Amino acid sequence: MDQLQGQWMRLYPEIETAPSAVIGRISRLARIIQMRSDVVLASRGVTRAEFGILSLLART
């Protein structure tokens, strides 16, 4: 993300890139969390969609 931000700053120094850097980092973390949780769910034979349905049923 820092490299990408640096490239933008070199091309367009007048553009504020900090907000997009924060969003990029959050997006990356979300992908990592999803991948890791998918591994845990798969080890128990459940997909993300199935887990969502089971969670909904448990709450009602």
Side-chain angles (χ1 to χ4, degrees), residues 1 5 15-26:
M1 190 83 304
Q5 190 176 10
I15 295 177
E16 178 59 45
T17 59
S20 62
V22 171
I23 292 169
R25 286 184 174 93
I26 291 170

Side-chain angles (χ1 to χ4, degrees), residues 44-60:
R44 288 162 175 80
V46 179
T47 66
R48 180 178 301 283
E50 292 167 338
F51 179 75
I53 292 169
L54 291 171
S55 295
L56 174 66
L57 291 172
R59 290 190 308 267
T60 56

